[in-house]
């Protein structure tokens, strides 16, 4: 759920124009094995809806870009739609990544759902808006590598959770770090915040924790990663690099001058 659409007073740790979007996910707990086994199948309707909404969100973001250039901020209606979409998409992603067992509702607003995000839209620097595509390129690359790496490891995380009936703390921390960075990147790309995505490896233990917006504990605010969890995040990044740099092998049919055919194998780089 998104909270705090109107600008809030700045505080010592989070100046108004540099507030990082926050993600609340409950600490790892027991999960029903049958829902883990069938998670992607159960989420198929949600994935279809989020894909369709993502198309609408793209065009709304383009409109918001032009408006932000003129106004120096997102109009309230655009901010509410994009923030609601991001909250909904984040709940679906958290369920797909096995961070929670509870099924996400088909709604932008879900007050009772344990996965929540907090956004504080505020003034935007027009120069940063103008060059948004260039500025967000490094974060886009990191997010892409994280998604590639998580895709390579997700079946291992799925099998562990299926066998144990819960996600181990180090795995939960690493997956939550990936989900939070991804959400922060999306919020920056959609101009819902001027704060650049950061803290992939978790928060500092001395950082003041912001109370979660809902009753109950939060396992991600602050997000404190131990050494095994940080090692898993590094592994995700490394695997992402390897997957991104992999050269697919294709089979090429070659016809000789004499009419005979031969099949050769060649590696073609896609990047």
């Amino acid at each position: 759920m998104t909270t705090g659409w109107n600008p809030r007073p700045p505080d010592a740790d989070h100046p108004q124009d540099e507030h990082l979007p926050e993600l609340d996910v409950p600490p790892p707990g027991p999960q029903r094995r049958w829902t883990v086994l069938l998670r992607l199948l159960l989420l198929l309707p949600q994935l279809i809806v989020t894909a369709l909404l993502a198309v609408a969100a793209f065009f709304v973001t383009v409109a918001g870009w032009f408006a932000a250039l003129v106004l120096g901020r997102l109009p309230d209606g655009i901010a509410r739609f994009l923030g609601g979409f991001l909250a909904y998409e984040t709940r679906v992603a958290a369920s797909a990544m096995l961070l929670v067992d509870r099924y996400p509702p088909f709604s932008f607003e879900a007050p009772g759902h344990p996965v929540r995000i907090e956004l504080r839209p505020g003034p935007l620097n027009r120069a940063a808006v103008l060059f948004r595509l260039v500025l967000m390129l490094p974060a886009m690359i990191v997010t892409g590598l994280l998604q590639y790496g998580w895709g390579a490891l997700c079946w291992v995380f799925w099998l562990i959770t299926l066998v144990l009936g819960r996600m181990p703390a180090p795995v939960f921390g690493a997956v939550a770090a990936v989900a939070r960075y991804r959400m922060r990147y999306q919020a920056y790309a959609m101009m819902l915040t001027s704060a650049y995505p950061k803290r992939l490896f978790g928060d500092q233990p001395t950082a003041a924790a912001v109370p979660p917006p809902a009753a109950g504990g939060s396992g991600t605010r602050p997000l404190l990663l131990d050494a095994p969890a940080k090692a898993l995040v590094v592994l995700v990044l490394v695997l992402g690099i390897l997957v991104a740099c992999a050269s697919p092998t294709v089979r090429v049919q070659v016809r000789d001058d004499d009419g005979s055919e031969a099949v050769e194998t060649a590696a073609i780089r896609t990047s």
Side-chain angles (χ1 to χ4, degrees):
M1 176 180 179
T2 54
T3 60
W5 287 112
N6 294 324
R8 298 184 179 184
D11 54 61
D13 294 321
H14 300 292
Q16 178 61 48
D17 59 349
E18 286 297 332
H19 178 80
L20 278 170
E22 298 287 356
L23 172 66
D24 282 300
V25 178
Q31 298 199 37
R32 295 165 293 178
R33 288 182 173 85
W34 74 270
T35 65
V36 175
L37 178 65
L38 303 175
R39 183 64 54 92
L40 290 182
L41 181 62
L42 294 172
L43 287 177
L44 185 59
Q46 297 277 7
L47 297 175
I48 294 174
V49 172
T50 54
L52 295 176
L53 287 173
V55 177
F58 170 78
F59 290 103
V60 174
T61 300
V62 173
W65 181 82
F66 285 104
L69 276 179
V70 176
L71 303 175
R73 56 183 288 274
L74 282 180
D76 290 342
I78 291 179
R80 288 184 181 277
F81 176 82
L82 293 178
F85 165 74
L86 182 58
Y88 174 42
E89 197 275 342
T90 300
R91 288 192 295 269
V92 175
S95 180
M97 298 171 81
L98 303 178
L99 288 173
V100 291
D101 190 40
R102 186 168 173 179
Y103 196 79
F106 290 91
S107 173
F108 279 6
E109 297 291 335
H113 197 272
V115 177
R116 296 164 64 93
I117 66 173
E118 183 184 60
L119 300 168
R120 298 186 186 182
L124 297 170
N125 184 291
R126 289 181 175 87
V129 172
L130 179 62
F131 296 104
R132 202 60 149 205
L133 286 176
V134 177
L135 293 174
M136 69 189 221
L137 185 58
M140 181 192 301
I141 294 173
V142 173
T143 302
L145 295 178
L146 290 172
Q147 293 186 155
Y148 280 134
W150 183 84
L153 278 178
C154 64
W155 67 274
V156 178
F157 298 155
W158 172 82
L159 185 60
I160 292 174
T161 307
L162 181 63
V163 172
L164 299 180
R166 63 185 301 129
M167 183 172 279
V171 176
F172 172 85
V175 175
V178 172
R180 189 179 72 167
Y181 189 90
R182 176 178 175 272
M183 181 272 294
R184 287 178 171 176
Y185 161 72
Q186 290 175 301
Y188 182 79
M190 291 188 288
M191 293 165 292
L192 290 168
T193 180
S194 61
Y196 205 76
K198 61 185 71 170
R199 298 177 188 170
L200 173 59
F201 291 93
D203 301 315
Q204 295 296 326
T206 55
V210 181
S218 172
T220 55
R221 193 175 351 174
L223 180 58
L224 303 178
L225 303 186
D226 55 14
K230 291 180 179 179
L232 281 176
V233 174
V234 173
L235 178 61
V236 169
L237 281 172
V238 171
L239 287 177
I241 294 172
L242 294 177
V243 172
C245 294
S247 299
T249 300
V250 298
R251 295 172 66 85
V252 181
Q253 190 175 51
V254 179
R255 182 179 296 274
D256 294 336
D257 294 337
D258 59 1
S260 62
E261 294 182 352
V263 176
E264 297 180 358
T265 299
I268 298 179
R269 295 190 61 84
T270 58
S271 60

